[in-house]
């Protein structure tokens, strides 16, 4: 296996716990062995050392009215609205919207 050494000027990770301004670049469905997810890609828009960095997140594809539904939480925050039973969501409506992203590393 090849070895790699960091050099000055190499890519720097955004520190865990940071909150950065970003916009939604894409939301794509992906099939994993345990089920389908939505893979979200964001681009940092905040001036500073991370401007232009790409970050990603994931949610379930299930859109339910429940406090633990991350898809509903994220859509509500982005659209600045609440959802009621029977409402639908088109993820294309979320593309390009501005938000703040909390950086967490798995």
């Amino acid at each position: 296996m090849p070895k790699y050494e960091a050099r000055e000027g190499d890519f720097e990770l955004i520190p865990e716990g940071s909150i950065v301004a970003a916009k939604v670049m894409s939301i794509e469905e992906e099939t994993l062995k345990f089920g389908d997810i939505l893979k979200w890609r964001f681009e940092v828009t905040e001036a500073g050392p991370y401007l232009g960095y790409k970050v990603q997140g994931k949610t379930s594809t299930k859109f339910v009215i429940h406090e633990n539904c991350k898809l509903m939480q994220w859509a509500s925050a982005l659209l600045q609205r609440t959802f009621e039973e029977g409402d639908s969501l088109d993820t294309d409506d979320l593309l390009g919207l501005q938000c703040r992203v909390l950086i967490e590393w798995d």
Side-chain angles (χ1 to χ4, degrees):
M1 173 178 266
K3 290 186 176 184
Y4 299 94
E5 292 183 26
R7 298 182 311 267
E8 187 173 335
D10 280 358
F11 180 77
E12 181 182 345
L13 295 176
I14 301 173
E16 186 168 20
S18 297
I19 298 175
V20 295
K23 69 179 173 180
V24 180
M25 300 301 293
S26 67
I27 304 170
E28 298 175 357
E29 192 168 328
E30 186 174 311
T31 300
L32 303 175
K33 63 182 175 184
F34 57 83
D36 293 339
I37 63 163
L38 291 177
K39 185 180 278 187
W40 297 59
R41 295 193 194 299
F42 303 88
E43 181 177 326
V44 176
T45 58
E46 185 171 306
Y50 308 115
L51 179 65
Y53 274 34
K54 309 295 189 279
V55 295
Q56 67 181 25
K58 53 189 168 195
T59 66
S60 170
T61 58
K62 294 182 177 149
F63 183 64
V64 296
I65 307 303
H66 189 278
E67 62 186 38
N68 293 333
C69 178
K70 195 185 297 185
L71 175 55
M72 196 246 342
Q73 291 172 358
W74 290 11
S76 292
L78 284 161
L79 294 169
Q80 299 180 2
R81 63 162 285 203
T82 59
F83 290 93
E84 303 292 329
E85 188 172 334
D87 286 347
S88 60
L89 173 68
D90 183 344
T91 56
D92 286 345
D93 293 339
L94 307 175
L95 300 178
L97 295 181
Q98 296 290 324
C99 58
R100 301 211 34 95
V101 176
L102 170 63
I103 305 298
E104 295 179 343
W105 296 103
D106 291 338

